[in-house]
Amino acid sequence: MRKILALLLSLALLLSLSALSLAEGVTLKTVSTFAGTDAAAETYVALLKAWEDKTGNKIEDASSTGDEVFKAGVLNDFAAGNEADVLFFFAKTADSAPILGKVVPIEEINAAYPELNLPINTAIAEPDGVVYSIPVRPFWEGLFCNIDLFEQVGAELPTTWENLVDAIARFKDAGIVPIAVSFSDIPHYIADATVLSASSEADYLARPKAGDPIPQAWIDGNAKINELYELGAFPVDVNATTEAVTSQMFRDKKAAMQMDGSWFANGIPEENYDTTVVLPFPVTSAEAQPTAFMGGVSMGFYVSRKAWDDPARRDAAVDLLAYLTTGDNAVALAAFQFKGKLLESSFEMLNAGLTTMYGPIQDAMDPEARSYWFSQIPGIADGTVVPADAWKGVMELAPFGK
Amino acid sequence: MMSRVIGRGPVVLTRTVIYALLVLWASTTIFPFAWVLNNSFKDTSLVVGDSFSPAFEQVYRRDRNGVIVRQEVLKDDFGRERYDRMLFDEEGNPVLEKEQGSGELDPESPFAQLMGQSSFERSRPDSELQAYDTLKGSRVYDSASPAVRLSPIWDNYREAFTNPNVNILRGYRNSLVLSGSVTLGVMLLSAMMAYAMTRYVFKGKKVLRSLLVAALMFPAFSTIVPVYRMISSAGLFDTLQGVALVQVAGNLAFATTVMAGFISSLPYELEEAAFIDGAGVFRIFLRVILPLSKSALATVGIFTFIWSYNDLFLQMVLLRSRALMPVSAILREISSQYGTDFGLMAAAVVVVVVPMLIVYIALQQNIIKGLTAGAIKG
Amino acid sequence: MLYRDRRPLLVFLLLPLLLMAVFLYYPFVVNIYNSLFDIKGLIGKPGEFLGLGNFSTFFTRDPVAMRALRNSALMMPLSLVFQVGLGLVLALMVDSVRRGQQFFRIVFFFPIVISATAIGLMFSLFYSYEGGMLNQLMVLMGRDKVLWLSKERAYTMLVIPVLWQYVGFYFVILLAGVNAIPDEIFESAAMDGAAGLRRIWYITLPLLRDVLITCATLAVTGAIKVFDLPSVIARNGAPNGLTHFLGTYMHNQAFVAQNVDYGSAISIIIVLLGVLAAGLMTALMRRGGEAL
């Protein structure tokens, strides 16, 4: 009996000791899009683990794929005071506008921690001219093509709309899905790309207020989605499948093209680096610029004001920020690991578009309007929604302010 | 012995037909799990290609030339991977990637400026040796190394248990803590409320009763936005306690209705006898009412547990940290983040389902008795 | 006399009522208030007063909302017929056989024990166009692949797992009800010459009336809460927003599109639909009760 008691007591002591040792470090909350199939997801988890081991602090991470649910979740958390301490989130977009009062400008961090000398990248400055975050991953978007499939059916690469239409017909005959995409899941890239490829610079950069007319090019651009649909360019279940499934079709060489971003390039299997290239989406109007592509930095690492104002967590949060955004770690998270023809063609696109790199239109849009726009894409595709009506509905929601 | 309900007589349904129909339905509940179990031992490519072949059939990965892929690639004297059609220059050295004209990013381009400090990882010496004709060529495998198997494999399970993003064991713990405490809370509080409402006469009892009926009609959707705000300002966001409180409140109305129906049917004499023996109200509640209501409590408990365990909506809204996610939320994460990894998804489903099935089969007598006792009376 | 002293009442009622007041009644009222104003973001302050604007949008200008309403409303009779109805048929059949009762009871209940999300995942593995189970079957049988989640078919395909999952639940409850009917009643019925379907109609069903009412209520209130299966199987009401239910659409509007006021309005419509259905059912039951 006494033995058992002694055992219990020592167990209790051990437990309380381990609880004490846990209490030594601080616990930080983090959130990012390094998750799921993101090429840097494992790197990110490993980096956090290494940092925990190094500092004795703990991290509660809530990363997930950067979709609309993720964006809304982070914004809601900020609004409710539930924000993370260190986060990798969108910048320079309508999404980051509401959080700027609740994150710390990099300059302010540098002032308090001059030895860190954190990079201030003006490319990610918000409209107020202040840099709040540190980017590690600029992006571009382009039309990915499996060139071996193009050779197989004897089609030219889709550098022009005519080539694209011709290739679609050949792929259809050969039983290959021409363009892999899921409109029920991620219509974002094609929605944007068709607008850019139909617009002059002025049209693309127009930000009409509620009640103002929108450029006809936007409507014409989105109308091309229906044209492609009628040509049979998309998977049979384009309006019901998921992006994960369609991306896999492209990687498995069951689909010939996919409109996507540089993060997608990272997921291309190594053995396909030399059989995959990326091009700007072909233009569909005379005013549009053939070299135009979408790119920029849209995300960066932030420290929240909440962590900054908490003396217990401030040092740890800043340390983690510096740890993730400088040196080898930043390079590892940038994850531009692809090589071969894929890298080469991306350089060609980037170099050709010296003056024609634009941010995606959707980043400037209010979430409600954007969400409505995307919800209309499946209908636009199969012809049940007229593009002009869809845009009318979008504009009623004042996507660029009132 | 004659069968009780359907009986013989001039009935179309013979016993064989009945059994056939029952087995048919049973197969709809068994077959899906068998299919998932079978595929959880296969590589995703095989799940997609041929999900019906039994998983114990050995299948190996082949490259595009039909050669069985092996785990080790043959290396040259310098430790570089060998390909059967590597590009070599005249002197027999492999052609470096750069020399094939891999291109450079124009430093003037806006994109190069964006890169700032971080740059393309291009200085790793061996990375430049990845030059090979992938169009027709393929790696040369070390024939002594084991072949890469597609079926049967344990990889999906290894992934399900070790992937830092989807810790299913932790999910189980969270589910148990959350649904367990919600169940206990609902059982106790609903018994208290039902007891008070059936035994006491007080003003406002009618109002209270109609409030309860009304609460049955409030799904979580109709309260979630204000609840989210309150939970946040109370500092309970992203905690299991927060979810638990909301779930308890949401399940109380139904539980109280069931409990009240049951308690009102209990004979008053027992309580009176206890009272005469000198027991107070609380003692009577604990020692007489609760033990007598065991079966109804079990009903309430089981209903609450099932609903709480399956309640994805509140978990999605009120939890954010991976470390706190219950099983349902974790499964949803898997489907949204690893949507094409059918092998992993199948394994995850198995891992989640099997313990529940074992517990259910072990306890099924009690569960079914409990599930029905209160429901039939109430 | 035991319950004359009302002081303990406070102890019994305080905590549960407090919880319900804070997390149920108060937010419900706030929610109604919210639906009348323009609110952006979950924490957004009420802006412009819209009155019933959101409701008129719902009924006159939002085809997706009407579709969701139709989908959710249709779910109620479907649940009654297929969940409770099929559960009843199975219960009667199992009760009539001697061997294997235990087995069927275990196996039919399987789908409830498993989280709805797991079932959702499973069905998305079945429905997938490329490599899904159903299409592999079609190919094996030498038929063309089918787009299971097409515009015409998607709702049916989504409803199947929702209905299928809960059949076993009602089956178990109803079977216990059938088992509880004393043998003597059937024996005397047999003597009166009642057999087969007649006996079910005139004896078993009336005796099961209370259990059936419980099941029907659970089924109808369950139908308006449908959320997890559709949200796993069909993203964003795929295809074309045709498979949104009121629950998933509410989540989409309030939590993704940040259109909180509209989401609140939808949730009120959910409640109204529930009240309407419950009222209708009570009325039917009462009339049915008189008839029996």
Side-chain angles (χ1 to χ4, degrees):
Chain A
M1 189 65 208
R2 198 171 282 171
K3 255 187 198 163
I4 296 175
L5 205 67
L7 200 75
L8 275 178
L9 273 177
S10 51
L11 206 72
L13 197 71
L14 255 171
L15 275 176
S16 58
L17 273 181
S18 64
L20 270 181
S21 68
L22 273 182
E24 232 173 59
V26 294
T27 301
L28 290 186
K29 287 200 174 198
T30 57
V31 64
S32 80
T33 56
F34 299 111
T37 48
D38 187 296
E42 282 178 24
T43 312
Y44 177 75
V45 171
L47 285 177
L48 291 189
K49 182 83 184 45
W51 186 81
E52 280 182 323
D53 292 345
K54 195 181 80 176
T55 59
N57 296 328
K58 266 186 73 68
I59 288 177
E60 279 174 19
D61 184 52
S63 299
S64 76
T65 309
D67 52 12
E68 297 297 311
V69 178
F70 166 83
K71 282 184 193 172
V74 172
L75 290 181
N76 290 334
D77 294 351
F78 261 101
N82 299 325
E83 65 265 36
D85 300 310
V86 176
L87 56 150
F88 185 64
F89 191 61
F90 296 86
K92 263 175 74 178
T93 62
D95 295 306
S96 63
I99 70 167
L100 296 182
K102 292 173 177 171
V103 290
V104 188
I106 304 302
E107 205 153 333
E108 191 178 337
I109 303 180
N110 274 342
Y113 296 85
E115 71 281 5
L116 288 178
N117 192 21
L118 295 170
I120 295 179
N121 192 332
T122 49
I124 204 169
E126 297 289 342
D128 59 4
V130 182
V131 175
Y132 294 88
S133 64
I134 306 179
V136 292
R137 183 189 279 185
F139 72 94
W140 44 256
E141 291 174 22
L143 184 64
F144 287 77
C145 303
N146 275 321
I147 47 176
D148 45 348
L149 297 184
F150 278 83
E151 280 173 25
Q152 187 187 318
V153 301
E156 294 284 319
L157 283 179
T159 47
T160 64
W161 183 257
E162 291 69 38
N163 283 358
L164 179 66
V165 169
D166 171 65
I168 288 169
R170 289 169 189 262
F171 285 126
K172 250 199 109 201
D173 290 342
I176 296 170
V177 172
I179 302 178
V181 62
S182 157
F183 288 144
S184 48
D185 201 1
I186 310 281
H188 307 38
Y189 311 123
I190 289 201
D192 259 340
T194 48
V195 168
L196 177 62
S197 66
S199 300
S200 65
E201 179 171 44
D203 280 348
Y204 190 70
L205 295 177
R207 298 290 178 262
K209 303 280 176 216
D212 293 350
I214 63 160
Q216 181 61 31
W218 295 8
I219 298 168
D220 296 345
N222 277 170
K224 290 290 175 189
I225 298 177
N226 173 248
E227 211 174 310
L228 291 171
Y229 182 91
E230 296 298 337
L231 290 171
F234 305 123
V236 181
D237 52 354
V238 62
N239 283 348
T241 182
T242 60
E243 199 254 352
V245 170
T246 54
S247 299
Q248 193 60 36
M249 283 161 56
F250 180 84
R251 286 189 290 257
D252 288 347
K253 305 270 182 198
K254 287 178 184 147
M257 292 170 271
Q258 175 159 342
M259 184 67 211
D260 219 309
S262 43
W263 48 86
F264 180 67
N266 291 314
I268 301 287
E270 200 184 322
E271 64 268 25
N272 294 350
Y273 285 164
D274 281 331
T275 52
T276 310
V277 299
V278 61
L279 307 166
F281 196 83
V283 293
T284 56
S285 103
E287 277 93 66
Q289 315 169 78
T291 58
F293 68 96
M294 279 169 290
V297 273
S298 62
M299 298 187 81
F301 275 103
Y302 295 85
V303 165
S304 68
R305 184 63 70 182
K306 192 168 135 197
W308 182 256
D309 288 344
D310 179 354
R313 278 179 303 166
R314 181 172 173 163
D315 286 346
V318 172
D319 185 56
L320 181 62
L321 176 74
Y323 173 82
L324 291 171
T325 55
T326 48
D328 290 346
N329 294 350
V331 175
L333 286 176
F336 276 100
Q337 289 152 345
F338 48 94
K339 301 180 195 72
K341 285 220 172 83
L342 183 54
L343 184 69
E344 217 174 293
S345 61
S346 75
F347 283 165
E348 266 165 39
M349 179 173 83
L350 299 174
N351 292 339
L354 270 188
T355 58
T356 52
M357 180 172 90
Y358 302 102
I361 248 183
Q362 50 162 304
D363 285 351
M365 286 172 112
D366 167 84
E368 189 183 340
R370 178 176 61 206
S371 162
Y372 179 78
W373 182 31
F374 294 151
S375 76
Q376 297 303 300
I377 301 293
I380 291 179
D382 65 18
T384 49
V385 170
V386 181
D389 292 348
W391 273 106
K392 199 169 143 238
V394 173
M395 290 313 291
E396 274 171 17
L397 298 168
F400 311 107
K402 283 190 177 158
Chain B
M1 274 290 277
M2 65 176 280
S3 75
R4 290 163 26 112
V5 179
I6 293 175
R8 286 175 199 159
V11 189
V12 205
L13 292 175
T14 69
R15 180 138 322 155
T16 334
V17 175
I18 290 180
Y19 267 115
L21 289 174
L22 287 176
V23 168
L24 187 72
W25 186 260
S27 64
T28 72
T29 64
I30 294 175
F31 172 75
F33 301 116
W35 185 82
V36 170
L37 184 70
N38 186 38
N39 284 301
S40 68
F41 293 102
K42 294 183 189 176
D43 185 83
T44 293
S45 57
L46 208 56
V47 179
V48 175
D50 179 16
S51 66
F52 291 105
S53 64
F56 46 78
E57 234 171 69
Q58 301 220 339
V59 182
Y60 295 94
R61 183 186 294 283
R62 288 166 194 278
D63 66 11
R64 73 189 75 186
N65 301 325
V67 179
I68 290 185
V69 172
R70 299 190 170 268
Q71 283 170 10
E72 302 278 326
V73 176
L74 209 59
K75 303 240 165 96
D76 67 10
D77 297 344
F78 305 100
R80 300 173 298 203
E81 290 185 357
R82 285 267 304 273
Y83 300 92
D84 63 356
R85 278 193 214 164
M86 219 174 196
L87 301 181
F88 294 96
D89 63 15
E90 284 124 34
E91 283 155 30
N93 295 316
V95 179
L96 300 185
E97 183 184 6
K98 228 180 219 160
E99 290 156 21
Q100 292 176 57
S102 119
E104 285 288 340
L105 187 56
D106 185 339
E108 290 300 306
S109 82
F111 197 79
Q113 321 244 298
L114 286 181
M115 294 298 292
Q117 285 207 334
S118 54
S119 61
F120 293 107
E121 190 186 6
R122 48 196 358 272
S123 56
R124 243 181 26 207
D126 59 347
S127 73
E128 294 175 347
L129 275 170
Q130 305 263 339
Y132 52 91
D133 184 2
T134 39
L135 199 52
K136 297 168 208 81
S138 62
R139 291 178 151 114
V140 182
Y141 297 102
D142 180 354
S143 56
S145 71
V148 175
R149 203 158 59 181
L150 296 178
S151 147
I153 51 169
W154 283 100
D155 298 28
N156 296 323
Y157 287 93
R158 203 170 302 131
E159 175 78 8
F161 281 109
T162 57
N163 187 318
N165 290 331
V166 289
N167 189 330
I168 290 178
L169 287 182
R170 197 169 54 193
Y172 260 118
R173 202 204 59 195
N174 293 334
S175 274
L176 275 183
V177 170
L178 176 66
S179 301
S181 49
V182 168
T183 305
L184 285 179
V186 167
M187 282 161 71
L188 183 69
L189 293 182
S190 67
M192 280 162 55
M193 190 141 94
Y195 177 59
M197 286 190 57
T198 48
R199 290 305 193 244
Y200 282 92
V201 183
F202 56 94
K203 261 192 204 152
K205 192 167 161 177
K206 264 207 173 128
V207 179
L208 193 58
R209 196 167 281 158
S210 33
L211 271 179
L212 272 184
V213 175
L216 285 174
M217 295 289 148
F218 298 174
F221 308 113
S222 67
T223 52
I224 188 66
V225 174
V227 160
Y228 174 85
R229 298 182 184 191
M230 281 191 290
I231 288 282
S232 301
S233 52
L236 289 172
F237 178 80
D238 201 17
T239 61
L240 290 179
Q241 294 93 304
V243 184
L245 279 177
V246 182
Q247 286 194 342
V248 169
N251 280 313
L252 266 181
F254 173 78
T256 307
T257 317
V258 172
M259 287 307 294
F262 190 86
I263 294 179
S264 67
S265 72
L266 292 178
Y268 178 62
E269 288 73 36
L270 283 172
E271 292 150 65
E272 206 161 29
F275 180 64
I276 289 165
D277 287 348
V281 178
F282 299 108
R283 214 183 141 77
I284 290 176
F285 174 69
L286 289 174
R287 292 291 156 83
V288 180
I289 301 291
L290 283 190
L292 283 178
S293 330
K294 251 192 227 147
S295 58
L297 276 174
T299 309
V300 166
I302 290 161
F303 270 91
T304 310
F305 194 90
I306 290 177
W307 281 334
S308 160
Y309 180 80
N310 276 327
D311 178 13
L312 183 63
F313 183 69
L314 279 177
Q315 297 168 6
M316 267 170 67
V317 175
L318 296 178
L319 292 178
R320 196 75 72 228
S321 298
R322 289 238 193 75
L324 292 175
M325 284 192 178
V327 169
S328 317
I330 285 195
L331 277 178
R332 191 173 190 285
E333 282 289 301
I334 294 181
S335 83
S336 70
Q337 303 204 9
Y338 302 92
T340 48
D341 196 341
F342 288 165
L344 172 64
M345 289 208 282
V349 170
V350 171
V351 170
V352 165
V353 162
V354 163
M356 278 305 276
L357 281 188
I358 292 173
V359 171
Y360 169 65
I361 290 173
L363 297 180
Q364 62 97 10
Q365 285 286 11
N366 302 326
I367 292 180
I368 286 169
K369 224 191 304 166
L371 192 59
T372 49
I376 285 176
K377 268 217 159 119
Chain C
M1 60 204 149
L2 163 54
Y3 299 112
R4 194 153 301 155
D5 177 10
R6 300 219 185 93
R7 273 171 302 177
L9 199 56
L10 194 69
V11 180
F12 284 120
L13 289 181
L14 186 67
L15 196 53
L17 281 184
L18 195 70
L19 266 178
M20 289 180 61
V22 173
F23 291 115
L24 221 54
Y25 299 119
Y26 170 72
F28 184 75
V29 175
V30 173
N31 192 55
I32 295 177
Y33 178 81
N34 283 350
S35 71
L36 305 176
F37 293 87
D38 183 30
I39 302 178
K40 280 232 179 296
L42 269 186
I43 306 294
K45 294 264 174 313
E48 192 190 333
F49 180 74
L50 300 177
L52 296 177
N54 277 321
F55 296 92
S56 79
T57 307
F58 185 99
F59 286 108
T60 57
R61 292 195 298 148
D62 186 350
V64 179
M66 287 315 284
R67 183 72 187 200
L69 178 65
R70 195 202 77 130
N71 286 348
S72 283
L74 195 56
M75 198 63 214
M76 295 179 176
L78 285 176
S79 301
L80 279 181
V81 173
F82 287 101
Q83 292 182 341
V84 184
L86 213 54
L88 178 66
V89 171
L90 289 172
L92 292 175
M93 292 204 300
V94 168
D95 186 71
S96 74
V97 301
R98 249 172 298 156
R99 277 206 267 172
Q101 279 211 18
Q102 179 92 333
F103 170 78
F104 291 123
R105 249 191 340 213
I106 294 180
V107 167
F108 290 178
F109 203 64
F110 268 9
I112 313 289
V113 186
I114 290 134
S115 94
T117 334
I119 292 180
L121 273 191
M122 218 169 67
F123 275 83
S124 44
L125 290 176
F126 293 171
Y127 291 159
S128 180
Y129 182 79
E130 291 291 339
M133 184 192 83
L134 292 179
N135 274 348
Q136 287 187 37
L137 263 182
M138 298 302 278
V139 172
L140 276 184
M141 295 188 306
R143 307 266 291 273
D144 283 341
K145 284 197 275 192
V146 171
L147 176 54
W148 296 101
L149 293 178
S150 71
K151 279 186 174 179
E152 298 75 32
R153 232 176 259 123
Y155 181 70
T156 319
M157 299 316 282
L158 265 186
V159 159
I160 288 173
V162 179
L163 296 176
W164 168 81
Q165 189 191 7
Y166 272 88
V167 170
F169 184 74
Y170 299 109
F171 156 80
V172 164
I173 298 179
L174 288 165
L175 179 62
V178 179
N179 283 341
I181 299 173
D183 280 333
E184 296 82 57
I185 294 185
F186 289 111
E187 275 155 25
S188 61
M191 268 181 257
D192 293 346
L197 295 177
R198 277 171 58 91
R199 194 164 65 190
I200 292 174
W201 185 250
Y202 287 110
I203 297 175
T204 319
L205 285 188
L207 286 171
L208 279 179
R209 190 166 170 272
D210 286 346
V211 193
L212 277 173
I213 291 178
T214 311
C215 289
T217 317
L218 285 175
V220 168
T221 47
I224 51 173
K225 292 183 190 159
V226 169
F227 175 77
D228 21 22
L229 275 174
S231 93
V232 174
I233 301 175
R235 299 278 164 81
N236 303 323
N240 301 42
L242 291 177
T243 60
H244 265 306
F245 289 76
L246 286 175
T248 57
Y249 194 50
M250 184 270 163
H251 179 265
N252 175 284
Q253 287 298 310
F255 292 89
V256 179
Q258 304 281 315
N259 194 356
V260 169
D261 49 320
Y262 195 48
S264 304
I266 298 173
S267 72
I268 292 168
I269 289 164
I270 298 179
V271 174
L272 290 179
L273 184 64
V275 171
L276 196 74
L280 205 67
M281 269 200 11
T282 327
L284 281 178
M285 293 283 178
R286 204 166 289 150
R287 281 198 25 214
E290 280 155 17
L292 283 170

